[in-house]
Amino acid sequence: MNLNSLFQIILYVVVLLLLAKPLGSFMARVYQGERTFLDRVLGPVERFIYRIAGVKADEDMDWKTYAIAVMLFNVLGLLAVYVFQRLQAFLPLNPQGLSAVTADSSWNTAVSFASNTNWQGYGGEVTMSYFSQMLGLTVQNFVSAATGMAVLVALIRGFVRHTAKGIGNFWVDLTRSTLYILLPLSIVLALALVSQGVVQTFSEYKTVALLQPTSDANGNAVTEQVLAVGPAASQIAIKQLGTNGGGFFNVNSAHPFENATPFSNFLEMLAILLIPAALCYTFGKMVGDTRQGWAILITMTIIFVTFLSLAVWAEQSGNPAFTKMGVDQVQTNINPGGNMEGKETRFGVANSALWATATTAASNGSVNSMHDSFMPLGGLVPLFMMQLGEIIFGGVGSGLYGMLAFVIVAVFISGLMVGRTPEYLGKKIEAFEMKMASLMLLIPILLAKVGTAIAVVTAAGLATIWNTGGPHGFSEVLYAFSSAANNNGSAFAGLGANNPFYNTALGICMLFARYWLIIPVLAIAGSLVQKKKIPASAGTLPTHTPLFIVWLIGVIMIVGALSFIPALALGPIVEHLMVIGG
Amino acid sequence: MTMQTKKPATYRREIYQRAVVESFVKLNPRLMVRNPVMFVVEVGSVLTTALWIQALLGKGEAPTGFIAAIALWLWFTVLFANFSEAVAEGRGKAQAESLRKARQDTPAKKIGSNMKTFEHENVEFETVSSTSLRKNDLYLVEAGDILPSDGEIEAGIASVDESAVTGESAPVVREAGGDRSAVTGGTRLLSDWLIIRVSADPGQGFLDRMISMVEGAKRQKTPNEIALNILLAGFTIIFLVVCATLLPYSLYSVDAAGKGTAITITVLVALLVCLIPTTIGGLLSAIGIAGMDRMIQRNVIAMSGRAVEAAGDVDVLLLDKTGTITLGNRQAVEFIPVNGVDVKDLAEAAQLASLADETPEGRSIVILAKEQFGLRGRKMGASDEAPQGMHFVPFTAQTRMSGVNFDGITIRKGAPDTMIELIQSNGKVPSDLKPSIDAIARMGGTPLVVTKNNKALGVIYLKDIVKGGIKERFAQLRKMGIKTVMITGDNPLTAAAIAAEAGVDDFLAQATPEAKLKLIREYQTGGRLVAMTGDGTNDAPALAQADVAVAMNTGTQPAREAANMVDLDSNPTKLLEIVEIGKQLLMTRGALTTFSIANDVAKYFAIIPAAFASTYPVLTKLNFMQLATPESAILSAVIFNAVIIIILIPLALRGVSYRAVGAAQLLRDNLLIYGVGGLIAPFIGIKLIDMVLVWLHIA
């Protein structure tokens, strides 16, 4: 790794960790219903929303009521997105006159955005009207993120409260997440992005004269091109902040109108991990022991930086195949070197690898380079980050609650090793919690592995694997299902996914991965909240020490590795061995 | 004491022989299904056996010998796991059998329920079978009789040989009323007679419950065991998915690479069995049974596995002062004269007053006088005159003092308030008497005032003697995060002094049964788990409320009913050992789970390159153990997986060693041994087995 890459990575991680505490404690205040500096402006808005929606803000829900509210809200959101797409030709804000989206693609996209996955089988600029983008997708970008945060906060309350029933009010958590956290941050970020040249307009696509006229396949002169524009900045801000990742344009944040400059790139990358990282601090603050939050944040950071280094190293080392073709990939003062296939020259190797790792560590899925063109090990990094279950920062809310499932498993085994019924934050971890935590580990693994298995042996699945004759095609399918089954949404590409088979199969994965995890999370919250809180003693397993962090990393890596090594061995690992072996 | 120490060699051989047979009996799928991990292995064994038969018919997917070897070792894996469980059960069964001998059908001298008098001579009885006795019936036992049932003594006092139950050959005294009124069926009366009211119907007595406990017949999974089982089942499902999906992946890869053959079912089953946590899955029930057994070896009968488990979680120990923290009795440590009396005179008078006092306190006064002043009992001190005309006055509830009369001299000793009354009625109370009394009380001692001819000589300082080493024990408990609370009937002043000396964290003075119960509830509301010991009937409510309640076997029937453990040695300090056994049980589970999962990493490195060698030869770069052939690699992993169960049986039965250190250090040590060790051990083991296979020309 060269000095420039090292500096960029350190800068990124340091800024991220510095922001965790202020934002984290602000969010803790929001969720604990304490006063914040935004109350004066947003308080009346919040109360107005409750009044027109008929929400009783002080009503406490038990876990089942909370779960029903989450499900109802999400089903309605999903249906709305589906209907908007199917009817967009008859709806306003459609200057390009785009026609209705196909049924299977609409279903896939509706599930994708409601479940905070933002897998995109379609190309935004040629498919979606402004109406569909804004009232369908952007709204879901906000509320799907807020849903994840609300569910997390409900789980935290399970730890905080004792001998109680209620875990909070979903409508309040949803409203406060959106109003106090996502909306203000998005406005700030959107304005910053616009300042860097990201577009924000309702006008129709622009036709401009080419600076360098060219000719098409038939030899006809091409002198002008159509530039797709639209209200992009506002959607990109929340796409990054809410770990959504669904780009306004097809090439996502590799598009100059979506990600204009290295600075906008830095801001967008920062926005990917900002809230997930800060939520760790919020967690610590709310459970009354910030060390617990830091321990989880450090765990995430260590795994993140380790894999990031692997990705940067793999990409910087360049591609032996290019070397044979005489391409100079050696880094010098005037040549950044490395494998530049599929990367923007604006961003280079370090920022592409950093984005790829961050976007898959969090369940974001936006891209600024093409992961399919990464070296086998460089591509293994984003693939494996997703397969770990989107818990290394992970989605807003969902990442931390997924991580807490791993913590519960880690605490259970290590708690036994110190000779006590395991407990975490004073709550005993018993059969019910184990059942739910095991489900949370199991479901994404099951979906990703079975989905891939079906795709590689059925004609429909095999039909659109363009990269035949080697392990790379397998990696692409594995990537697609790993992405959907962990609600990431990023694509390896190279795989034709906008067809009935993949739209349906991936849609099913996204649906189960999201909601079959939310229910066990809330069930754990409901079980924990009823328990007594055991005061800590010298016999209690400390869960904030370096030792526990090492143990937690071990559990995460072993579960991840044991589940996916055979599949990875047939994909990127064997591909890597082939590449280096010549 | 217990049966197995008598003939260890034959005893062990018997257990092992029986366990071998049991291992096969336990192959019954209906029994296996209770253990999901091992059930999967059994299904795998059946499957590979079927594949082997298919291969014998000439349609094998792999070489016949290879399939046969895999199938054989998979069966061994299941059998080894069954064997571990059978060995653990075997120990209990041997013990249960000797207990059952004590519970034979015995004749009972039943007394009609219209009995008015409980005098031995006038009792009329008819001899019936013990099985016909019902609750609340009365019966008589006389010297030499075996007690036909559990019961409460209505009348009489007798010495009882309880060795059939406790293994302790010294007879114990049982009498009506008080805290020693419970008797157990199957024990034998050595002297005198007793009239007993039956407290349990046939088949529900203490002995019956003990038998079913040690036998493990009604063993139910404990909460923590259930939780662990769920986790293990979760891992098993994950690996099932991993292995099942490997077949389509392999098919695709063969197609994509254009060479090789798809992974065989045999290899997939082998991989699955290697990956699922068979080590802990196979040993889990043995660990649980062995934990119970370790209790029995220490002469503690736990009424449920849940209680053993809870013992590891205890955070508060309520300990009775007397017998647990202090030696049962107070001892004289100092003579404090008053009013200018010579200390030697005081000591002499005190000794004389105590000559006939057979209580431990009395004896300690005699000894102290002898040690400090060379005064010898039975002799009139320095004058060497034999005290022939002595008349001893024993302690009675009315006079509340004791002493001796001789040669017209009266010497008395007694509690301060009574003695001061006596002195006042005959003259002035010396001014330094009261301060001396108060000083002793402040130090946690008991003052006894001594008078000669109704004039105060001084005060004897009786002190509670804290048991040797108990302070260190409490310090250890503190390190383990366990709080100790001393329960005593003493006044707060005395209690505080003893508490400070013994190093307990807290104390409850002037404890009543209600106060005890309230204290337990308070701790429990605060989320703590409370353990206590008790023997009296008035302890029963507190015992029932406590999470871990140990009743002394010498205690009353209600106390034994309320408790969830009975200590046959009736040793209150046993509570500390019980906590350690509970912790050990959980630690063994955690350690072996960690070990089991950590093992998988090495197995991947053995099997994955081997499984896909024909499709992607380049994967052999991952075979850095340099295992000879794909077949030997897979077989080595399977053999290691089976053999490790056998190797770890002793550890499962013995439990991992427990030291009284904080949780953080325990975790570090165990992670190093079982986590890191679990990562490394299989690399070495598999390589060694592979070398042996090559040497034997099997692979």
Side-chain angles (χ1 to χ4, degrees):
Chain A
M1 206 182 291
N2 57 43
L3 269 180
N4 179 31
S5 311
L6 200 63
F7 170 74
Q8 308 227 27
I9 289 169
I10 291 174
L11 177 73
Y12 177 76
V13 173
V14 167
V15 173
L16 179 68
L17 293 182
L18 281 178
L19 289 173
K21 188 173 168 176
L23 179 59
S25 55
F26 168 75
M27 288 193 287
R29 295 185 74 83
V30 169
Y31 289 120
Q32 285 166 339
E34 291 164 21
R35 280 197 63 81
T36 66
F37 66 98
L38 292 173
D39 277 13
R40 190 167 297 208
V41 189
L42 297 176
V45 183
E46 186 188 356
R47 284 188 291 277
F48 175 72
I49 291 170
Y50 295 154
R51 197 166 337 119
I52 56 164
V55 171
K56 295 192 200 80
D58 48 1
E59 185 188 34
D60 218 14
M61 297 175 173
D62 64 22
W63 81 265
K64 283 179 185 150
T65 316
Y66 202 102
I68 290 169
V70 173
M71 292 303 146
L72 264 181
F73 180 74
N74 276 267
V75 167
L76 287 178
L78 197 155
L79 286 177
V81 178
Y82 182 83
V83 170
F84 291 165
Q85 292 177 81
R86 302 288 287 151
L87 300 181
Q88 71 177 359
F90 311 105
L91 292 168
L93 284 175
N94 187 3
Q96 297 304 119
L98 294 166
S99 59
V101 184
T102 61
D104 59 296
S105 176
S106 299
W107 138 261
N108 183 289
T109 306
V111 172
S112 168
F113 277 76
S115 65
N116 195 247
T117 312
N118 296 32
W119 170 269
Q120 294 170 293
Y122 62 91
E125 56 271 55
V126 292
T127 319
M128 295 287 172
S129 72
Y130 293 163
F131 185 92
S132 299
Q133 292 263 28
M134 294 184 78
L135 274 100
L137 306 187
T138 306
V139 167
Q140 283 305 317
N141 278 352
F142 277 98
V143 293
S144 70
T147 299
M149 293 160 86
V151 171
L152 170 70
V153 171
L155 176 62
I156 296 176
R157 290 195 189 105
F159 286 107
V160 175
R161 298 176 182 179
H162 58 94
T163 45
K165 275 220 132 14
I167 53 171
N169 184 312
F170 172 67
W171 307 116
V172 172
D173 292 338
L174 179 77
T175 310
R176 288 183 75 86
S177 299
T178 312
L179 208 54
Y180 285 83
I181 299 165
L182 295 171
L183 212 51
L185 281 174
S186 298
I187 291 170
V188 172
L189 182 62
L191 290 175
L193 291 178
V194 168
S195 81
Q196 294 300 304
V198 176
V199 296
Q200 178 75 7
T201 170
F202 281 120
S203 70
E204 57 194 39
Y205 298 167
K206 296 277 181 280
T207 305
V208 294
L210 282 177
L211 293 174
Q212 234 179 344
T214 181
S215 56
D216 65 12
N218 302 325
N220 301 323
V222 179
T223 57
E224 52 188 28
Q225 75 174 124
V226 178
L227 288 182
V229 291
S234 59
Q235 188 178 324
I236 290 153
I238 186 62
K239 145 197 142 185
Q240 298 300 91
L241 284 165
T243 59
N244 293 290
F248 194 87
F249 304 110
N250 193 16
V251 293
N252 213 300
S253 281
H255 196 294
F257 287 172
E258 204 163 320
N259 187 6
T261 65
F263 183 60
S264 74
N265 187 63
F266 183 81
L267 289 179
E268 287 185 21
M269 283 198 302
L270 195 62
I272 294 176
L273 297 186
L274 180 65
I275 294 178
L279 278 172
C280 294
Y281 188 84
T282 308
F283 167 71
K285 191 94 183 160
M286 285 179 77
V287 299
D289 183 359
T290 48
R291 295 173 309 176
Q292 306 290 347
W294 285 119
I296 290 179
L297 186 54
I298 291 167
T299 305
M300 292 173 169
T301 309
I302 290 173
I303 297 178
F304 175 73
V305 170
T306 308
F307 279 94
L308 170 60
S309 306
L310 174 64
V312 173
W313 171 81
E315 293 311 304
Q316 192 66 54
S317 300
N319 189 341
F322 292 164
T323 311
K324 272 188 209 153
M325 293 157 73
V327 178
D328 181 11
Q329 297 175 87
V330 181
Q331 185 211 342
T332 60
N333 283 340
I334 49 160
N335 181 3
N339 169 32
M340 282 299 290
E341 184 193 309
K343 294 186 181 65
E344 284 286 306
T345 46
R346 279 173 297 155
F347 308 133
V349 166
N351 277 317
S352 298
L354 182 53
W355 186 299
T357 314
T359 196
T360 48
S363 77
N364 189 292
S366 61
V367 291
N368 74 347
S369 58
M370 293 303 119
H371 298 178
D372 201 25
S373 299
F374 276 29
M375 296 304 297
L377 290 187
L380 180 142
V381 169
L383 181 54
F384 193 58
M385 291 310 270
M386 295 188 297
Q387 290 170 341
L388 286 180
E390 290 304 1
I391 54 162
I392 311 307
F393 298 104
V396 285
S398 63
L400 187 51
Y401 66 64
M403 175 58 105
L404 287 173
F406 274 88
V407 171
I408 286 174
V409 171
V411 161
F412 183 78
I413 302 175
S414 57
L416 286 181
M417 273 195 286
V418 303
R420 273 168 79 100
T421 296
E423 60 201 55
Y424 184 55
L425 305 174
K427 294 298 179 88
K428 277 212 156 85
I429 306 300
E430 292 167 296
F432 186 77
E433 290 79 28
M434 275 331 288
K435 203 180 287 178
M436 294 301 140
S438 299
L439 270 180
M440 289 174 66
L441 262 58
L442 178 64
I443 289 169
I445 295 172
L446 191 102
L447 291 170
K449 302 222 74 162
V450 174
T452 309
I454 293 171
V456 295
V457 290
T458 54
L462 289 167
T464 51
I465 302 176
W466 312 127
N467 263 301
T468 50
H472 198 73
F474 180 75
S475 299
E476 288 167 356
V477 180
L478 183 64
Y479 195 104
F481 280 95
S482 298
S483 175
N486 289 287
N487 293 128
N488 181 286
S490 90
F492 221 28
L495 174 73
N498 192 7
N499 52 54
F501 174 80
Y502 282 106
N503 275 335
T504 313
L506 295 171
I508 290 170
C509 284
M510 291 186 278
L511 200 61
F512 285 130
R514 178 73 168 181
Y515 300 108
W516 275 17
L517 256 57
I518 283 182
I519 293 171
V521 172
L522 292 173
I524 291 177
S527 164
L528 289 177
V529 81
Q530 293 176 31
K531 297 191 183 197
K532 287 189 248 181
K533 210 170 170 74
I534 304 160
S537 74
T540 311
L541 174 83
T543 50
H544 61 267
T545 55
L547 181 69
F548 185 79
I549 293 174
V550 170
W551 168 240
L552 181 57
I553 292 173
V555 170
I556 294 168
M557 294 312 297
I558 285 208
V559 170
L562 293 182
S563 309
F564 285 99
I565 274 190
L568 292 174
L570 294 175
I573 293 176
V574 73
E575 195 184 353
H576 167 75
L577 293 173
M578 287 167 149
V579 168
I580 58 165
Chain B
M1 95 191 178
T2 37
M3 295 75 206
Q4 54 256 58
T5 48
K6 284 176 192 162
K7 284 180 288 175
T10 43
Y11 162 79
R12 242 183 248 141
R13 196 177 320 132
E14 263 171 45
I15 287 182
Y16 290 147
Q17 280 166 356
R18 204 171 349 178
V20 169
V21 178
E22 278 284 298
S23 323
F24 286 91
V25 175
K26 285 172 186 282
L27 287 177
N28 181 348
R30 253 183 276 175
L31 297 174
M32 289 297 299
V33 79
R34 289 182 51 187
N35 181 342
V37 178
M38 295 318 293
F39 183 70
V40 169
V41 182
E42 189 175 34
V43 172
S45 311
V46 172
L47 193 59
T48 45
T49 309
L51 288 168
W52 173 65
I53 294 168
Q54 188 194 32
L56 281 180
L57 300 174
K59 293 173 200 153
E61 56 165 14
T64 315
F66 175 68
I67 303 179
I70 295 286
L72 191 68
W73 279 99
L74 293 188
W75 281 115
F76 276 141
T77 312
V78 188
L79 288 171
F80 289 168
N82 287 349
F83 180 73
S84 75
E85 193 183 64
V87 169
E89 284 173 349
R91 296 209 222 172
K93 274 193 180 141
Q95 194 147 19
E97 235 153 69
S98 60
L99 284 173
R100 208 174 269 127
K101 283 186 194 131
R103 201 203 44 177
Q104 285 152 355
D105 206 6
T106 43
K109 296 168 178 169
K110 191 177 168 191
I111 306 170
S113 53
N114 53 358
M115 270 288 303
K116 294 277 183 306
T117 168
F118 282 150
E119 276 157 38
H120 180 209
E121 292 75 21
N122 304 333
V123 166
E124 285 170 16
F125 60 82
E126 52 167 335
T127 305
V128 298
S129 161
S130 62
T131 50
S132 68
L133 286 177
R134 289 292 175 274
K135 217 169 167 172
N136 287 326
D137 283 352
L138 290 171
Y139 66 85
L140 170 75
V141 275
E142 290 165 307
D145 290 353
I146 303 261
L147 271 73
S149 81
D150 289 5
E152 281 281 319
I153 301 172
E154 287 284 327
I157 176 166
S159 61
V160 182
D161 171 13
E162 295 194 334
S163 60
V165 179
T166 63
E168 187 62 57
S169 52
V172 292
V173 172
R174 298 292 190 185
E175 60 185 320
D179 288 348
R180 289 156 177 261
S181 61
V183 289
T184 310
T187 57
R188 200 162 56 90
L189 213 65
L190 291 175
S191 68
D192 305 286
W193 56 271
L194 293 172
I195 290 173
I196 293 163
R197 187 177 293 280
V198 176
S199 61
D201 287 338
Q204 285 161 26
F206 182 67
L207 207 56
D208 299 285
R209 273 192 295 159
M210 221 172 116
I211 290 169
S212 73
M213 279 321 296
V214 295
E215 230 177 10
K218 278 193 287 181
R219 205 180 89 82
Q220 285 184 332
K221 284 190 183 140
T222 54
N224 176 267
E225 200 178 348
I226 293 170
L228 181 55
N229 248 316
I230 290 169
L231 180 67
L232 296 181
F235 278 123
T236 306
I237 297 171
I238 289 177
F239 291 127
L240 212 54
V241 171
V242 168
C243 292
T245 52
L246 217 44
L247 184 61
Y249 296 175
S250 168
L251 287 169
Y252 174 85
S253 299
V254 169
D255 207 41
K259 63 180 168 192
T261 49
I263 190 167
T264 60
I265 306 287
T266 311
V267 172
L268 276 181
V269 172
L271 178 63
L272 174 64
V273 171
C274 285
L275 292 182
I276 60 176
T278 48
T279 314
I280 178 67
L283 293 172
L284 190 55
S285 71
I287 294 170
I289 298 168
M292 202 91 125
D293 198 55
R294 278 199 295 280
M295 288 281 187
I296 294 168
Q297 280 170 15
R298 286 180 177 71
N299 262 359
V300 177
I301 304 293
M303 293 305 163
S304 70
R306 185 186 285 255
V308 182
E309 213 167 69
D313 289 349
V314 160
D315 354 58
V316 179
L317 292 187
L318 300 189
L319 300 166
D320 274 332
K321 183 197 80 177
T322 312
T324 312
I325 296 171
T326 62
L327 295 170
N329 313 296
R330 285 171 286 221
Q331 290 184 357
V333 290
E334 198 182 351
F335 297 109
I336 302 160
V338 295
N339 208 17
V341 172
D342 183 19
V343 67
K344 212 165 168 181
D345 291 343
L346 170 62
E348 193 175 337
Q351 192 186 40
L352 283 169
S354 308
L355 280 179
D357 186 351
E358 282 301 317
T359 62
E361 286 89 351
R363 266 177 294 183
S364 79
I365 295 171
V366 175
I367 292 165
L368 183 70
K370 191 160 76 182
E371 280 174 354
Q372 286 196 339
F373 304 103
L375 298 172
R376 302 172 59 203
R378 309 279 170 203
K379 299 277 161 114
M380 269 304 289
S383 62
D384 234 6
E385 241 176 275
Q388 292 304 331
M390 279 189 176
H391 173 65
F392 292 104
V393 181
F395 180 88
T396 67
Q398 283 77 40
T399 60
R400 302 186 58 206
M401 59 181 76
S402 63
V404 63
N405 298 338
F406 66 97
D407 298 346
I409 300 170
T410 59
I411 298 176
R412 292 288 181 275
K413 69 175 202 298
D417 46 344
T418 345
M419 295 305 285
I420 287 172
E421 257 176 54
L422 178 77
I423 299 162
Q424 265 170 343
S425 63
N426 290 283
K428 239 188 102 206
V429 178
S431 59
D432 50 351
L433 182 60
K434 260 209 73 109
S436 303
I437 293 169
D438 290 345
I440 293 170
R442 258 199 311 280
M443 287 184 287
T446 310
L448 278 184
V449 176
V450 182
T451 62
K452 188 175 179 181
N453 294 335
N454 301 338
K455 286 206 174 62
L457 288 181
V459 191
I460 308 170
Y461 176 7
L462 289 181
K463 193 180 173 194
D464 265 312
I465 304 297
V466 172
K467 281 186 174 176
I470 200 91
K471 192 165 187 172
E472 290 69 35
R473 203 86 190 256
F474 291 150
Q476 284 182 344
L477 285 170
R478 202 167 300 120
K479 256 190 238 161
M480 290 155 63
I482 296 173
K483 183 174 171 168
T484 46
V485 182
M486 183 180 84
I487 308 287
T488 171
D490 293 343
N491 64 59
L493 211 62
T494 311
I498 297 169
E501 192 183 342
V504 292
D505 297 311
D506 205 350
F507 65 89
L508 178 68
Q510 284 161 347
T512 58
E514 296 75 40
K516 249 192 228 186
L517 190 61
K518 194 167 151 257
L519 184 71
I520 294 175
R521 289 217 173 109
E522 267 166 25
Y523 277 122
Q524 287 175 334
T525 317
R528 292 173 190 274
L529 250 68
V530 183
M532 70 169 286
T533 56
D535 51 6
T537 302
N538 58 12
D539 283 333
L543 284 168
Q545 180 71 33
D547 301 285
V548 174
V550 184
M552 303 292 104
N553 191 44
T554 52
T556 60
Q557 194 63 27
R560 298 202 303 193
E561 297 273 343
N564 48 20
M565 288 185 200
V566 175
D567 178 18
L568 300 177
D569 295 341
S570 304
N571 168 12
T573 325
K574 197 69 79 62
L575 199 50
L576 309 179
E577 285 174 49
I578 291 173
V579 169
E580 286 183 5
I581 294 173
K583 288 201 176 288
Q584 227 184 1
L585 173 71
L586 296 178
M587 277 168 55
T588 310
R589 281 188 198 144
L592 289 182
T593 305
T594 309
F595 186 85
S596 194
I597 307 230
N599 270 204
D600 284 2
V601 176
K603 292 171 190 164
Y604 265 137
F605 279 101
I607 296 183
I608 295 291
F612 301 111
S614 68
T615 312
Y616 291 127
V618 69
L619 276 174
T620 48
K621 282 186 185 163
L622 297 179
N623 176 18
F624 66 82
M625 282 187 275
Q626 303 288 326
L627 303 176
T629 64
E631 283 79 19
S632 79
I634 293 165
L635 193 55
S636 302
V638 172
I639 293 176
F640 176 83
N641 192 52
V643 169
I644 197 75
I645 295 181
I646 284 285
I647 294 177
L648 291 174
I649 287 179
L651 180 70
L653 296 186
R654 199 181 59 233
V656 303
S657 59
Y658 178 77
R659 288 173 308 120
V661 291
Q665 200 185 333
L666 266 183
L667 178 63
R668 199 188 60 206
D669 295 352
N670 284 330
L671 271 185
L672 269 179
I673 300 170
Y674 300 99
V676 178
L679 276 176
I680 297 167
F683 280 106
I684 300 166
I686 291 172
K687 178 68 190 168
L688 285 178
I689 294 169
D690 184 71
M691 284 159 72
V692 171
L693 290 179
V694 170
W695 183 66
L696 291 173
H697 299 288
I698 289 174

